[in-house]
Amino acid sequence: MVAFGKKLKDRQIQEWQGYYINYKLMKKKVKQYDNQIKAGSLDRRHVLKDFSRMLDNQIERIVLFMLEQQGVLASRISELNKQQESLQEQPDISKIIELRESYRDVGRDLLKLLFFVEINAIGLRKILKKFDKRFGYRFTDYYVKTRANHPYSQLQQVFKHVGLGAVVGAISRNLADLQDRQGSYLSIYDQPSLPLQDSVVDSLQAAVDRLSHSTNFLNFLAQHALIMQEEFPTPVEEQVDDQRYHFMSLILNLANTFLYMVNTYIIVPTADDYSMSLGAAATVCGIVIGAMAIAQIFSSVYFSAWSNRSYFRPLVFSSIVLFVGNIMYALAYDLNSIPVLLIGRIFCGLGSARAVNRRYISDCVPLKIRMQASAGFVSASALGMACGPALAGLLQTNFKIYKLTFNQDTLPGWLMAFAWLVYLIWLWISFREPATETEVNTGPQEPANNVENDVLESGITQPLLLKVEDNQQDDENDLEYDESEEAPEESRQPANSIAEAYRLLTPSVKVQLLIYFMLKYAMEILLSESSVVTTYYFSWSTGTVAIFLACLGLTVLPINVVVGSYISNMFEDRQILLASEIMVFLGILGSFHIVSPYTVPQYVCSGLIMFVAAEVLEGVNLSLLSRVMSSRLSRGTYNGGLLSTEAGTFARVIADVTITLAGYLGQSKLLNVTLLPSLLICVASIIATCYTYNSLY
């Protein structure tokens, strides 16, 4: 892996070299401070004061140069505006075309400036993190908090970039005015939702979005999907994305995600009744529900490996297996066979193509819309989770056709089999297999004079200061290698096995995965045993259970809106993380049957608190996980998405097995026995969170 100092040097615009952050000098200064402190010749207060002053000077030089360049661009736009006014009186098509190209030239120069600000801010973020790591001091929090909102601080110019936004707006407005509007008298201010079809404006907007420091709902939702990206993609990689992307194929991937989540949860309200109708105990529903998750542990690995070579064939295989699995699930009733029921659910789990869905978004969707696609992945999952139980509540009927029974137990299987058959036909007709990278790279070559514009319009993908933290391995590479050296090529290769991927996990990542395990375990306990518990304590019907579960599922997106748009802007992620864990703990604690009678308000309120807190926790946890995961886990078979999926799936399996085993103690003890492990795991995750972040910060 190439050290950041060399990346910075290679990507600098030559004529602006003297205005970039002096990363090499500051890195050497950090090392010098460390040696002096160890020798006892310098105290920490002097280090903090001296390093703060150095940072202030570096940022001031960057910002003053940025303001100077903004002024140059503003002057050029002002001159072009005068030319545009004269053309209003005497229109000339050739001059209008020439003027539009002049505005685009200004836009391309603005892209250079945006790239300049972004790469400097990444360098600033890296040196702050390096300082914290070297001295074990929360200097980053102190420096950002004291500078970001101070009226004389230069740092807020980097954060808020108001002047740059004004220049972007001026270019966009004037290009829109020069566009052929077929007699329309409306401006972009009258129709803000109408996109301007101009590649330069699109590139500017993408660059400004990357420069946004605030967390918004779309970004929060996208991180929820844990679809990781490289920090420095090349223009060639961006070109590959554009050529591999196919809108209908993306829709088919999202449809697969939605249908699979419906398939997972549509049986939950009736699984206990189905088990009893086949002569088993109601708590066998835990194994019936969990059989799908057990198979998913294995299917995630082979689907992830398969997606290295193809996307179409895995999706076809997934649809066929799910079709067969649901047919077997429905036929188990007339065959009066628990084994057929379980095999049907195992087949459904073997058809889990979520790893393919994630990889398609990560590898084939262009960077400029990848965030929206990732948010769509999460939204499709949440919608499927809500629709599954809701559909089960509607399938309250009982009739026969020949020897086949159609009732509330079998109809979920028949309905999903039909849905997967329709999806398979749609997939076969509409899906387009993305071209391999070799095929794309051997395509027509662009002229050499377009390369610079491609580099500028591609930019770099990651947001700015403190938006995404580097993984530990990147820092170690940066410390170990000088700017002029390169790390071995193997250090950039993806992990080749689960064991190797596990070795790449830092202590903080392991804590995040523990938290993910805990919340998935707690949510699975709540959802899977809901029909048994509510029937035993409250005599709820299948329809009532379905409504309860559907309502829980419908809270997912609104909660993410609140957290992504508001809460994450007011509190640090670590604070939200710990607060959510405590709320999950309180929800689990409130669900215990300690005082008789056990009431509906107690169960519903405690369950709602636990579920909502777990949803908040999942979003924040995956957001943090995407920041600290090794870049080697951003691609390949054993990637970060696979690890998180396996952790969550393993938690669901253990939870469902726990429900079945606890059933042998009797339904009266089921609730407390299954909640106890949830409580203990939750306490362990809270302790691990406090210990990890106290040691790191």
Side-chain angles (χ1 to χ4, degrees), residues 235-236 445-458:
V236 174
Q445 299 297 316
E446 294 195 12
N449 59 353
N450 287 339
V451 172
E452 182 181 356
N453 290 340
D454 287 343
V455 171
L456 293 172
E457 293 183 21
S458 294

Side-chain angles (χ1 to χ4, degrees), residues 169-185:
I171 294 171
S172 302
R173 184 187 69 80
N174 285 288
L175 280 173
D177 288 344
L178 290 170
Q179 195 176 56
D180 181 15
R181 292 183 171 271
Q182 298 180 349
S184 173
Y185 294 96

Side-chain angles (χ1 to χ4, degrees), residues 621-640:
N621 182 62
L622 290 180
S623 174
L624 283 170
L625 194 59
S626 68
R627 303 177 188 183
V628 298
M629 190 79 78
S630 169
S631 60
R632 291 179 62 188
L633 296 174
S634 64
R635 59 177 61 202
T637 300
Y638 303 97
N639 54 64

Side-chain angles (χ1 to χ4, degrees), residues 483-531:
E483 280 76 2
S484 61
E485 300 174 5
E486 290 191 10
E489 184 64 26
E490 299 81 45
S491 66
R492 194 159 173 81
Q493 296 300 317
N496 295 318
S497 65
I498 286 287
E500 184 179 351
Y502 183 80
R503 286 195 296 271
L504 292 172
L505 302 181
T506 62
S508 60
V509 174
K510 291 176 182 177
V511 170
Q512 303 303 138
L513 290 176
L514 172 63
I515 294 171
Y516 192 62
F517 178 92
M518 178 274 292
L519 67 91
K520 285 296 183 183
Y521 182 93
M523 290 171 69
E524 189 71 9
I525 288 290
L526 172 66
L527 298 174
S528 295
E529 71 177 13
S530 58
S531 58

Side-chain angles (χ1 to χ4, degrees), residues 173 176-177 181 184-192 194:
R173 184 187 69 80
D177 288 344
R181 292 183 171 271
S184 173
Y185 294 96
L186 299 176
S187 72
I188 60 171
Y189 302 111
D190 299 311
Q191 294 178 309
L194 186 65

Side-chain angles (χ1 to χ4, degrees), residues 331-403:
L331 289 176
Y333 188 90
D334 293 305
L335 297 174
N336 195 31
S337 173
I338 282 285
V340 173
L341 183 72
L342 294 175
I343 292 172
R345 287 296 286 178
I346 289 172
F347 264 70
C348 290
L350 292 175
S352 171
R354 287 175 67 81
V356 179
N357 305 143
R358 274 196 178 102
R359 283 292 298 276
Y360 185 87
I361 294 173
S362 176
D363 295 348
C364 302
V365 175
L367 288 170
K368 58 189 176 185
I369 62 167
R370 193 171 297 167
M371 185 185 295
Q372 291 91 325
S374 301
F377 176 85
V378 176
S379 301
S381 299
L383 189 60
M385 183 180 181
C387 287
L391 286 172
L394 297 175
L395 302 177
Q396 304 299 303
T397 186
N398 192 349
F399 62 92
K400 275 196 171 189
I401 298 178
Y402 298 107
K403 295 183 179 180

